[in-house]
Amino acid sequence: MGADPVPEAQKFTGFSGQALSLAGDKGRYVLPSAFRNLVKESSDGRVLCIDKHPKLDCLVGFGLSRHDELEAQLDREEDMAWKRGLDFDRDTRAAQLFGYMRVPFDDSGRFVMPSHLVRLGKIEDQLYFHGLGRFFTIWNPAELARMNDDWASAKGACADLVAEHEAKAARK
């Protein structure tokens, strides 16, 4: 007997790289192919999880496979608070970790961004995607440009992608 095949969600290797996407018709956005394929891998399908980044003026995206990781994080944080004699409101923290939206996307990666996330992420007509391993960030390029030099590489990649898009648009 051979070994059981590894389920697709367990083959997920993490998000890396950068991409730019433009708002499409009917208020839809497009999840770039490199990120789309990894979300499919980590979700066993076409479900993108999106939430507001807890500290930055951007959004975070990931696949459903991160759910168990978030549950383990919640347990660790509660345990650490207990060991330190600190208060821990499990319900509030769970609301913060599990408040993400499950957003379906089609085979081309088109999805509708929930309006409250558009506002929270200060999203306009361009989305810059930046891989961070377990998740990726989704930026309005103007918001990313305001970040300090710790974000110099991401800012440079984003500026180049925006410039490439603008050059292509000018040639049309």
Side-chain angles (χ1 to χ4, degrees), residues 6 8 14 56-57 71 77-78 102 136 143 158 160 172:
V6 177
E8 284 298 309
L56 304 173
D57 282 331
E71 189 66 45
E77 289 178 10
E78 183 176 39
R102 294 179 182 201
F136 54 90
E143 292 302 316
C158 180
D160 284 354
K172 289 184 179 182

Side-chain angles (χ1 to χ4, degrees), residues 11 22 24 26 31 33 45 58 65 79 82 84 86 121 127 137 140 151-153 155:
K11 292 181 183 177
L22 306 177
K26 301 177 186 174
L31 183 61
S33 62
C58 66
S65 65
D79 186 53
W82 181 81
R84 294 179 177 165
L86 302 173
L127 299 178
T137 52
N140 171 339
W151 289 87
S153 180
K155 289 165 46 172

Side-chain angles (χ1 to χ4, degrees), residues 54-102:
K55 297 177 183 173
L56 304 173
D57 282 331
C58 66
L59 304 175
V60 294
F62 49 90
L64 289 171
S65 65
R66 189 147 188 246
H67 183 89
D68 291 342
E69 177 188 326
L70 293 173
E71 189 66 45
Q73 178 180 337
L74 182 61
D75 290 341
R76 278 191 316 273
E77 289 178 10
E78 183 176 39
D79 186 53
M80 292 293 289
W82 181 81
K83 286 178 180 176
R84 294 179 177 165
L86 302 173
D87 287 334
F88 185 80
D89 185 338
R90 187 174 178 97
D91 293 337
T92 298
R93 188 60 177 136
Q96 293 167 344
L97 291 174
F98 296 100
Y100 57 84
M101 299 292 299
R102 294 179 182 201

Side-chain angles (χ1 to χ4, degrees), residues 5 7 34 39 42-43 46 49-50 62 68 90 94 96 101 103 134 145 161 163 169:
V39 169
S42 66
S43 286
R46 296 183 319 225
C49 301
I50 309 174
F62 49 90
D68 291 342
R90 187 174 178 97
Q96 293 167 344
M101 299 292 299
V103 179
R134 300 170 313 174
L161 290 170

Side-chain angles (χ1 to χ4, degrees), residues 1 21 23 44 50 61 67 70 82 113 129 157:
M1 295 191 137
S21 179
D44 275 337
I50 309 174
H67 183 89
L70 293 173
W82 181 81
M113 181 80 72
F129 294 80

